[in-house]
Amino acid sequence: MSNFDFEIEMQVRDYECDIQGIVNNAVYQNYLEHCRHKFLSKIGLDFIQLHSEGIDGVVIRAELDYKFPLQPGDNFIVRLKVKKQGRLRVIFDQQIILKGEDKLMVNARITTVLTKNKRPVSPIIFEEKFKSAGIELEEI
């Protein structure tokens, strides 16, 4: 997992596949989001608590490069690296890797911002948790 801040192993479920027998393109965003949420939970960020305080993480851009399709039953790893862009954006560089073959299936960059009462705010809450977890944010 060198160069990545977090990873999680998952498996393709039959109902995530389309008529072609491969994972539907929209499902990959669910995999990526699940990884981000597990990561944030692991470092002590509680989305429900934050939301009750009027703070929400919002995806403002999703860039996905589909390299190869996943198929039913495939075991795969979703991993991420956190970065910062400017004073408001938190970037998640993510990959989906076919387990056992170490084959890159999807390469993604997810750009997020924090909002408070639907207005953009500094991600200092996230930055403090990242620092406490020993994660240095690279500025891009």
Side-chain angles (χ1 to χ4, degrees):
M1 190 174 83
S2 64
N3 300 329
F4 290 92
D5 297 318
F6 182 78
E7 68 179 33
I8 186 170
E9 185 174 332
M10 299 176 71
Q11 184 179 51
V12 174
R13 296 164 289 233
D14 294 341
Y15 63 82
E16 296 169 327
C17 298
D18 57 24
I19 198 163
Q20 298 167 324
I22 59 175
V23 171
N24 181 280
N25 68 84
V27 173
Y28 291 94
Q29 290 203 47
N30 292 330
Y31 296 156
L32 298 169
E33 182 175 44
H34 183 70
C35 179
R36 291 191 307 275
H37 285 207
K38 287 292 188 182
F39 165 69
L40 294 171
S41 177
K42 180 182 178 202
I43 65 168
L45 287 164
D46 181 339
F47 272 112
I48 295 170
Q49 178 64 37
L50 288 171
H51 179 73
S52 71
E53 297 168 12
I55 300 170
D56 293 294
V58 179
V59 172
I60 62 168
R61 184 179 178 101
E63 302 169 72
L64 282 74
D65 294 320
Y66 301 95
K67 305 294 186 180
F68 297 98
L70 289 169
Q71 299 175 337
D74 279 349
N75 291 306
F76 60 97
I77 295 167
V78 185
R79 55 192 184 190
L80 65 78
K81 175 78 177 164
V82 178
K83 299 178 179 178
K84 185 177 178 185
Q85 185 179 48
R87 58 184 194 84
L88 295 176
R89 294 179 179 167
V90 176
I91 308 293
F92 293 91
D93 281 341
Q94 294 187 259
Q95 293 182 334
I96 297 177
I97 305 293
L98 184 61
K99 188 175 179 195
E101 295 183 32
D102 203 31
K103 184 177 184 179
L104 178 64
M105 308 304 272
V106 172
N107 205 32
R109 173 167 281 180
I110 308 298
T111 304
T112 65
V113 296
L114 280 187
T115 63
K116 182 163 185 158
N117 302 319
K118 304 195 187 315
R119 309 280 304 176
V121 295
S122 168
I124 192 71
I125 296 168
F126 278 24
E127 292 172 12
E128 290 170 352
K129 290 292 187 178
F130 296 152
K131 188 174 182 180
S132 294
I135 297 169
E136 290 287 325
L137 281 181
E138 175 186 336
E139 179 78 33
I140 59 168

